[in-house]
Amino acid sequence: MAGAVWAIGEIVEGAPTRLTRELATLARQLGEAAALPVAAVLVGPDAAAAGALLAEHGPDVLAVEVDPGGRPTAAVIAERVAALVRERAPAFLLVGASNDGKDVAGILQGLLDWGVLVNGAGVRWSDRGPQVEMSVFGGRLVTQSTFAADRGIVIVRPSAVTAETAPAAGQVERVVVDPAIELAPVRVVDRVAEASAAVPIEEASVIVAGGRGVGGPEGFAVVRELADALGGVVGATRAVVDAGWIGYAHQIGQTGKSVKPQLYVAAGISGAIQHKVGMQTSGTIVAINRDPDAPIAEFADMMVVGDLFEILPRLTAAVRARRG
Amino acid sequence: MRIVVLLKAVPVVGNEKLVDGWRVDRSAGLEANGNDEYVLEAALKLVEAHGGEVVTLTMGPHPALEAIRKALAMGAARAVQIVDDALAGSDALATGRVLAAALAHLEYELVLAGADTSDGQGGVVGAAIATRLGLPYLSYAASIEPDPAAGIVRVRRISPTGYDVLEARLPALIAGTQLLGEPRYPSLRGIMQARSKEIATWTLRDLGIDPASVGPAASQTVVQEATPPPQRAGATVVREAPDVAVERIVAFLVSRRLI
Ligand SMILES: Cc1cc2nc3c(=O)[nH]c(=O)nc-3n(C[C@H](O)[C@H](O)[C@H](O)COP(=O)(O)OP(=O)(O)OC[C@H]3O[C@@H](n4cnc5c(N)ncnc54)[C@H](O)[C@@H]3O)c2cc1C
Ligand SMILES: Nc1ncnc2c1ncn2[C@@H]1O[C@H](COP(=O)(O)O)[C@@H](O)[C@H]1O
C-alpha cells in the first residue's frame, strides 16, 4: 500500500467518533483525487466492531484489537500505528485534532520523524501532495501548507469535511502488530465522568456564549435556554470559568477551545483578544452588550446594545415560537 | 524535586506577524506562552512543597530573554536558553529534536510543557520530546501530584467526558493547562534576585546537532501561501428597545438562514 493515505481513528464507547468518520471521509476524497489507496486504522478492545461502522465511509479498516480495559492511551495507539506504518509504508496520516489525537500525532512524530501540519481546517490534494489550510494568529491569516517530503501527518480539526457514507463500504481487516518500540507506560487509574464535561463545543454549529455580563452562575440559565432553543451549546469566557460559574470545558479562546460555528451569540462578553482568537472565524457573530464601545463591536456582524437579561429571554421565546 | 519547565517565548497574542516569507517575527515583543506560565506556576508550587529547584529551558532568539527573566523573577532557580542563528524557521520536528537533545544534558524528575502554544497551536512538541527520551507522557493536566518517595506521579487529565486519573513512574513529561492555576506575579524581591541568576546559553554545537538538520531548509512542512481571511462587513448596530431589538435579531438570523 505504498503512498497510501490513512485515517487514524478514535473509538469512544464502542463506536468511531464523529471526527473519525470525518477523517475516513476525507481519506476517501483525497484517495479519489490522487488515485491513491486509502485505509483507516482503529486501535481498541472493540476495534473490529467499530471498524464495521467506520467502513461505511469507504476506506478499508485495519482493526487492531488490544486487551480489554477501556479506551487505550495515546501511547498504546501510537506504538501500534507506528509498527503498522513501518510494515505497510503509507505516505500520509490524518489524525483528529482531539486531545487524544494530538497526543497520538506528537508521539508518532517522535517515533517516525515525520513532519506534522497542525490545526487543519481543510485538506485538498495538490501537485505537492496534501495541501492543508490553517487559520493562524487567531484568524488574522489563512495559510496553505504542504510537506517537504512524500510523507507527513496532518492534524485535522472537527468539521473540516462532512462525514458521508460511501456507495461501497470498505472491508474490515483484523491485524495483529507487535509494537517495535514499547513506550513508557502510563496507567489509567480511574476515569471520572462529569456531567458538565460532555460539551461537544468544537463540533457545534451554534454556540451561545456567556461572559462576565451574566453576573453569576445563575445568570447562565438565560444563556442555556437560548442555546437549547437554537439547538446549540453553551460557551464561556475565561473570566467566568476562573470565577467558577461554569466548567473549563466551555471555555473558548487562547487557553480554551477554538471554535468555528455557523452562529456565535456572545452575551455579556467584552471581546478581549484572548477570547477573540478562539471564535472570530465563526460564520455569523451576534453580540449582546450594554456597552456600545465594547471591543466585540469591531468584529461582530450584529451588535445589539442592551441588557442581556432583557434580550435573551425574549429572543428564546421568539426562536421557540418560530420553530413551533 | 528537580523540574525542567519548557518555556517558549511567543509574540504577544494579537501582534503576531510574518517576516521573510513565512517566518513568525520574533525580533521583539516576545512573552512567555500562556500555558507555559501555568506549568511554571505548578512547578514552583511543587518545589515549595517537596524541595528542589525549577530550571527553565527555552529554544528561542535573543528577544526571548525578557520572558526568561520573568520566569526567574517568579522563582525559577536558573535558565537555559538555546540560541543559534540556524534555528530560525525550524518546524515542530526540529524543535522537538533540539529540546530533547538539551534535556539529555539536564537532570530532572519532571519535565513540564504547556498543552499548546499560541503561535504554533500544535500541542505536539511535548509528546514528541517524551517519546524521544523514553519518558512517560501525561497530557492536558489539571493537577499534578508527584510522590517522589515512591518514584511516581499522578495527573488528573482532562477527558472528553470528565477527567482521567493517570499514573506513571518518574521521571516523566507532563503537558499542563490553565487549570493548574493562575501564575504568580514576580515580587520586587524576586526581580532583584533574578538579576544574579544564571542564564546558560547553549548553541547547536554544544548539543552536537548538525545545523543542516534544523531551520527552514530541513523543515518538513512548507507554507505555500498566506492570505487574510475575507473581511467582515462591519456590525449592524441595534439600539432599539428589547422587543424591537429582538425582532431585528430574528429577521437578521432568518436572512442568513440560521433559524
Ligand atoms: C494568557 C491568557 C490567556 C487567556 N485566555 C483566555 C481564553 O482562552 N478565553 C477568554 O475568554 N479569555 C481569556 N483570557 C482573558 C481575557 O483577557 C479577558 O479577561 C476575558 O475574555 C474577559 O471575559 P468577559 O468578556 O467575560 O469579561 P469582561 O471583559 O469583564 O466583559 C464583560 C462584558 O459584559 C458587558 N455586560 C455587563 N453586564 C451586562 C448586561 N447585563 N447585559 C449585557 N452586557 C453586559 C460589559 O459591558 C462587558 O463588555 C486570557 C488572558 C490571558 C492573560
Ligand atoms: N521553542 C521552544 N522552547 C521551549 N519550549 C517549547 C518550544 N516550543 C515548544 N515548547 C514546549 O512545547 C509545548 C507545546 O508546544 P507546541 O507543540 O508548539 O504547541 C509548549 O507549551 C512548550 O512547553
Side-chain angles (χ1 to χ4, degrees):
Chain A
M1 257 215 265
V5 179
W6 282 8
I8 312 300
E10 258 177 72
I11 306 169
V12 173
E13 283 164 5
T17 61
R18 173 172 138 179
L19 179 53
T20 298
R21 293 174 183 274
E22 292 172 0
L23 295 181
T25 305
L26 178 60
R28 175 165 55 85
Q29 289 171 357
L30 293 173
E32 280 164 10
L36 285 175
V38 298
V41 182
L42 286 176
V43 179
D46 32 23
L53 301 171
L54 190 59
E56 290 168 8
H57 301 278
D60 290 340
V61 178
L62 307 177
V64 184
E65 296 273 346
V66 294
D67 286 343
R71 201 150 39 86
T73 62
V76 168
I77 296 172
E79 59 195 6
R80 281 162 181 80
V81 172
L84 269 180
V85 167
R86 295 219 167 88
E87 193 181 296
R88 305 198 184 194
F92 300 104
L93 307 180
L94 310 175
V95 184
S98 59
N99 287 2
D100 282 354
K102 285 186 275 186
D103 282 353
V104 167
I107 296 171
L108 285 173
Q109 168 156 74
L111 288 173
L112 301 172
D113 264 341
W114 287 14
V116 178
L117 286 168
V118 303
N119 222 3
V123 186
R124 60 182 191 81
W125 196 264
S126 77
D127 50 9
R128 297 183 180 91
Q131 177 165 312
V132 180
E133 180 174 309
M134 298 171 222
S135 165
V136 300
F137 302 161
R140 279 185 297 118
L141 276 182
V142 177
T143 59
Q144 306 286 340
S145 301
T146 56
F147 293 105
D150 290 335
R151 57 178 182 273
I153 302 167
V154 186
I155 301 181
V156 184
R157 292 184 55 81
S159 308
V161 293
T162 307
E164 283 166 5
T165 53
Q171 307 281 318
V172 179
E173 179 190 348
R174 284 169 182 268
V175 289
V176 179
V177 279
D178 282 324
I181 301 170
E182 295 243 3
L183 295 166
V186 172
R187 199 164 71 84
V188 183
V189 178
D190 198 7
R191 293 190 189 274
V192 180
E194 281 183 331
S196 71
V199 225
I201 201 164
E202 287 138 303
E203 297 177 358
S205 58
V206 176
I207 295 177
V208 183
R212 218 187 316 244
V214 305
E218 325 73 46
F220 266 99
V222 290
V223 173
R224 209 163 282 124
E225 274 157 29
L226 179 59
D228 285 348
L230 290 167
V233 302
V234 174
T237 64
R238 171 156 168 209
V240 297
V241 172
D242 281 350
W245 300 352
I246 192 166
Y248 175 61
H250 296 265
Q251 183 180 315
I252 292 163
Q254 186 189 328
T255 49
K257 288 172 177 155
S258 291
V259 297
K260 195 182 172 180
Q262 284 161 28
L263 173 61
Y264 192 93
V265 180
I269 293 177
S270 62
I273 180 75
Q274 295 89 350
H275 186 73
K276 181 182 174 186
V277 296
M279 48 64 77
Q280 71 174 332
T281 57
S282 301
T284 295
I285 300 172
V286 175
I288 297 133
N289 199 305
R290 278 199 307 223
D291 174 7
D293 299 322
I296 200 159
E298 286 159 33
F299 56 96
D301 299 292
M302 176 169 263
M303 176 72 182
V304 183
V305 182
D307 186 333
L308 70 93
F309 292 103
E310 296 190 275
I311 305 284
L312 293 197
R314 287 177 170 83
L315 183 54
T316 303
V319 170
R320 288 224 170 98
R322 277 190 65 85
R323 294 232 155 131
Chain B
M1 293 208 54
R2 292 162 300 180
I3 307 180
V4 178
V5 171
L6 302 179
L7 184 87
K8 188 180 189 189
V10 296
V12 171
V13 172
N15 294 347
E16 305 97 335
K17 60 178 199 285
L18 294 175
V19 286
D20 300 344
W22 319 114
R23 237 187 253 175
V24 177
D25 184 2
R26 300 185 192 281
S27 60
L30 302 185
E31 62 180 16
N33 179 50
N35 282 321
D36 301 359
E37 283 205 340
Y38 302 128
V39 295
L40 172 59
E41 175 63 35
L44 295 171
K45 286 213 184 86
L46 287 174
V47 163
E48 282 158 14
H50 298 275
E53 64 168 24
V54 176
V55 177
T56 62
L57 173 61
T58 301
M59 171 183 134
H62 193 70
L65 267 176
E66 209 172 315
I68 295 171
R69 288 210 187 93
K70 184 179 173 200
L72 294 174
M74 285 168 70
R78 59 200 171 82
V80 176
Q81 183 182 13
I82 308 162
V83 195
D84 202 304
D85 288 344
L87 286 169
S90 293
D91 64 354
L93 182 63
T95 303
R97 275 199 197 123
V98 171
L99 290 170
L103 281 165
H105 289 78
L106 294 167
E107 291 185 351
Y108 51 80
E109 281 77 46
L110 271 183
V111 181
L112 300 189
D116 61 15
T117 49
S118 60
D119 59 347
Q121 300 174 10
V124 292
V125 167
I129 294 171
T131 306
R132 286 179 199 285
L133 296 174
L135 299 174
Y137 172 65
L138 305 98
S139 58
Y140 302 99
S143 69
I144 302 172
E145 288 167 40
D147 183 344
I152 56 165
V153 62
R154 274 198 177 193
V155 157
R156 233 163 16 100
R157 176 186 193 262
I158 300 164
S159 80
T161 47
Y163 62 89
D164 298 339
V165 181
L166 304 180
E167 190 181 279
R169 60 162 172 74
L170 297 171
L173 188 148
I174 300 171
T177 66
Q178 176 192 311
L179 293 187
L180 292 169
E182 189 68 23
R184 67 195 63 188
Y185 286 102
S187 65
L188 208 54
R189 192 158 153 261
I191 295 169
M192 300 297 288
Q193 285 175 340
R195 293 197 183 140
S196 55
K197 289 180 178 170
E198 180 200 0
I199 304 178
T201 309
W202 295 358
T203 63
L204 288 174
R205 225 174 121 191
D206 296 330
L207 299 175
I209 293 174
D210 178 3
S213 69
V214 299
S219 176
Q220 292 299 300
T221 57
V222 188
V223 181
Q224 301 290 351
E225 192 184 309
T227 48
Q231 282 286 307
R232 286 182 193 275
T236 306
V237 181
V238 176
R239 291 172 180 276
E240 286 87 342
D243 288 322
V244 180
V246 165
E247 273 172 33
R248 288 194 60 192
I249 304 171
V250 169
F252 178 70
L253 296 180
V254 168
S255 75
R256 294 207 169 187
R257 297 175 188 279
L258 290 165
I259 51 174

